[in-house]
Amino acid sequence: MAAMAVVTVNAPAGAADEPELIFKRSTVWKFLTPDHKLATYAVDDPLIDGVACHFAVPEKGGIPGWLGVAEEVSDISLACRQVGPISFKGEFEQGEEMFRQRRSLFFKKMRIVRGCDAKRNVLVYVIYSDKLVEGSPKNSTSTVPIMPWGDQTPAKCGDYLKD
């Protein structure tokens, strides 16, 4: 029971809530235990209304996956899009964490961080996983150009960057 509590999503202050599962597909069949799967999730940026990100992650099955103790691989993909008028709820720092989720019992976390390309007025999102002892080079980047929505003038992400 304690192990399951440790595996739950750890969200920092201002970070997104639990992601919403969109769908899962089995990738490897396992006899009598859960299959390995590829899961696709959605998460809204908690600081910026009008931006949603979707990410796909492999989830291990078998006995370790069933028990919640499997160390998940670092292969992660990310796509973020403007889904409505963009409005900022506050300031943020370059590379600020938007979402975090544990990918193993103790050592690995997946993170989504956000930044702003002020010159082009584009939000930049990066997803990656890290380990306590050794980092992971696997990552994915997605950009969201801030465009007008209806008759609304687009916000400037540079106006919301902390110094």
Side-chain angles (χ1 to χ4, degrees), residues 100-118:
R100 173 176 55 195
Q101 183 178 49
R102 291 193 182 278
R103 298 291 292 155
S104 73
L105 192 55
F106 297 109
F107 302 113
K108 189 185 283 189
K109 291 186 190 89
M110 177 194 72
R111 302 170 192 269
I112 301 175
V113 296
R114 97 170 66 74
C116 165
D117 177 347

Side-chain angles (χ1 to χ4, degrees), residues 141-157:
T141 303
S142 186
T143 59
V144 179
I146 302 175
M147 306 298 288
W149 197 271
D151 60 354
Q152 184 182 28
T153 303
K156 302 269 188 234
C157 64

Side-chain angles (χ1 to χ4, degrees), residues 20 36 58 62 74 112 133 162:
E20 175 186 346
H36 293 320
S74 299
I112 301 175
V133 177
K162 288 182 184 175

Side-chain angles (χ1 to χ4, degrees), residues 1-22:
M1 189 72 133
M4 293 306 279
V6 173
V7 176
T8 60
V9 172
N10 245 355
D17 292 330
E18 277 234 27
E20 175 186 346
L21 176 64
I22 303 301

Side-chain angles (χ1 to χ4, degrees), residues 61-117:
I63 293 173
W66 181 63
L67 294 175
V69 296
E71 181 172 332
E72 300 291 350
V73 296
S74 299
D75 299 324
I76 308 166
S77 65
L78 174 71
C80 299
R81 300 291 184 268
Q82 181 174 354
V83 295
I86 291 181
S87 62
F88 293 81
K89 296 177 185 174
E91 293 183 334
F92 64 95
E93 295 178 5
Q94 292 284 31
E96 184 173 282
E97 191 172 278
M98 179 196 100
F99 177 77
R100 173 176 55 195
Q101 183 178 49
R102 291 193 182 278
R103 298 291 292 155
S104 73
L105 192 55
F106 297 109
F107 302 113
K108 189 185 283 189
K109 291 186 190 89
M110 177 194 72
R111 302 170 192 269
I112 301 175
V113 296
R114 97 170 66 74
C116 165
D117 177 347

